[in-house]
Amino acid sequence: KDGRELDVELSLSALRIRGAWHAVGIVRDISERKRLEEENRHKEEQLRLMLEGIPSPAWLISRERRILIQNKAAATLFGTKIGDYFWEGILGGKYLADEYREAFKKTGTPLPGTKCYFCRGDEALEENVPINSEVEIEGVIWDTWWVPLGKDIYLHYAVDVTKYKKMEEQLYFLCITDPLTNAYNRRF
């Protein structure tokens, strides 16, 4: 009556009554459902944009260590793909123990517990607390996090802190040596 357009769902059925065909229909207002769907699409797009805007690699990983979601930095820096095992994507499984790598090559199926030497995802899930450690991969030092987001999913992200570690080493050297002679001082 007020001129608004409504989204509706229409169900029609044909009935034959006393030799004549009749139509029976149900019209359901689905405007609220459509509004909520659009709102959810908008929120999902915002979350996707936020994830893509993070310059450091980030992954959502299942307990089985499969990549569920990742951002562009993860794919670019490490070559990982959604659906792959995380350890398989990190530089082609280079950081697996030899027995895990060989078993996977032979059978195509990972041994139970297959993971990179530095992975602490299981520990984070079991203790239900975020775990942080530094990991060095090919000369780059990463401040790495495993954050449980439920009993079977965790967020894994890493921040390149190499330049800060080098500054820390330089400051320590300056702190314990004489700037003129480079001899150790009393702080050493």
Side-chain angles (χ1 to χ4, degrees), residues 106-161:
K106 285 179 184 175
T107 66
T109 304
L111 292 174
T114 299
K115 62 181 181 177
C116 295
Y117 77 87
F118 55 81
C119 182
R120 298 184 65 194
D122 290 341
E123 188 180 338
L125 287 173
E126 294 305 317
E127 295 177 15
N128 197 29
V129 294
I131 295 181
N132 172 241
S133 66
E134 286 181 0
V135 176
E136 185 171 344
I137 298 177
E138 298 187 355
V140 178
I141 301 169
W142 297 94
D143 186 26
T144 308
W145 288 85
W146 293 266
V147 181
L149 300 175
K151 66 178 190 153
D152 291 326
I153 295 175
Y154 61 92
L155 170 67
H156 179 49
Y157 70 94
V159 178
D160 181 355
V161 294

Side-chain angles (χ1 to χ4, degrees), residues 66-82:
R66 288 215 182 250
I67 298 170
L68 304 172
I69 299 173
Q70 67 180 6
N71 67 356
K72 193 181 297 183
T76 303
L77 293 170
F78 289 97
T80 55
K81 296 181 190 137
I82 292 174

